[in-house]
Amino acid sequence: MAVHTPSAAEAAAPSTRARILSEALHLFAQSGYGGASMRELARRVGIRESSLYNHFSGKAAILEAIVAEHGPASSASRLEEPRYKQLARQPAAFCRQFALDLVEQWSDPREHQFQKVITAERNRVPGIRAKFADHFYAREQSMMTDYFRGFALAGLVATPDPRETARLFAAGLIYIRLEHYVMGATPSPRPKVIEAIERYLSFFLSLIAAGNEGNKKRKPKGENRGKAAPD
């Protein structure tokens, strides 16, 4: 008996769960969480309504799964990837990679839909606000702090407080997002966003003296430069 071998197209096809989340994100952004029905979601996915419950217990579980895959959750997940861990002694390269990855995220239409949904629903669905703000933001901030603490302890940057340095880095990027993707009638062209990112990176890296880490001489022990203050 011949064994069916999945084709490349079949292997690349999204799973039913992924299709549910994708269609749910679009539906929630379009109709609002309260206005979206499981019946309409099933129709869009192309499955029976009862089949949705084989994957999720209900709408709240679907929204939680969407929150777990977008926004700060996706940024935190990137920080755990090997390509970031390889930059643990390269603060300038780390900051540039993180910023450019954010530009890609901001340019994704799904991210725009997610921000619309989370802004509208975070105060209406029990547990979503706490999960989004406390768990995912806290996880991202903690990981960013760990990177900057490592840079400081290795003498690659000058900062008295790695946590506040990480927050300052994130704050500048958030402002760029607001300016170029949120406040205007239409998103700024990508070259303009990249120009703003590069200008900010140059400024931020000069503040923490992270431009030529490969050529710097280690400071003698006992000096304050590069030492990390406790959180």
Side-chain angles (χ1 to χ4, degrees), residues 12-184:
S15 66
T16 300
R17 182 182 187 278
R19 284 173 25 235
I20 291 171
L21 293 179
S22 177
E23 291 296 340
L25 177 58
H26 180 69
L27 181 60
F28 291 166
Q30 185 179 65
S31 303
Y33 177 81
S37 69
M38 294 291 273
R39 177 178 298 177
E40 173 61 15
L41 177 57
R43 187 190 69 78
R44 293 189 179 202
V45 177
I47 61 177
R48 294 181 179 179
E49 182 179 348
S50 59
S51 298
L52 287 175
Y53 295 96
N54 293 330
H55 301 273
F56 299 98
S57 60
K59 273 202 309 183
I62 293 174
L63 183 56
E64 285 192 16
I66 289 173
V67 170
E69 294 187 10
H70 291 272
S74 60
S75 294
S77 296
R78 279 198 298 271
L79 291 172
E80 295 176 328
E81 295 175 2
R83 64 192 179 102
Y84 272 95
K85 293 180 179 180
Q86 291 172 358
L87 301 177
R89 291 296 181 267
Q90 303 177 57
F94 169 86
C95 291
R96 180 162 284 102
Q97 185 64 64
F98 186 81
L100 294 178
D101 280 344
L102 280 185
V103 172
E104 294 300 322
Q105 180 177 327
W106 298 339
S107 302
D108 188 338
R110 293 172 299 177
E111 179 69 10
H112 301 168
Q113 293 175 337
F114 171 75
Q115 290 299 329
K116 181 178 180 180
V117 170
I118 200 63
T119 299
E121 309 301 342
R122 63 184 177 183
N123 294 325
R124 301 178 190 175
V125 181
I128 288 296
R129 182 182 178 90
K131 191 168 187 176
F132 182 74
D134 297 336
H135 179 62
F136 293 122
Y137 267 125
R139 177 176 166 230
E140 181 186 31
Q141 290 179 2
S142 175
M143 294 179 69
M144 289 290 288
T145 297
D146 287 344
Y147 273 101
F148 279 100
R149 182 181 293 111
F151 297 148
L153 291 174
L156 301 172
V157 303
T159 173
D161 190 330
R163 179 176 181 270
E164 292 306 317
T165 302
R167 284 160 60 89
L168 176 63
F169 177 56
L173 295 173
I174 290 170
Y175 188 87
I176 290 174
R177 178 178 191 171
L178 289 174
E179 180 181 6
H180 292 279
Y181 287 93
V182 177
M183 304 306 294

Side-chain angles (χ1 to χ4, degrees), residues 205-221:
L205 294 172
S206 71
L207 287 182
I208 61 173
N212 301 298
E213 58 267 18
N215 298 323
K216 287 182 179 179
K217 294 181 179 179
R218 287 292 185 88
K219 292 288 181 178
K221 291 184 178 180

Side-chain angles (χ1 to χ4, degrees), residues 1-5:
M1 183 176 181
V3 177
H4 173 69
T5 301

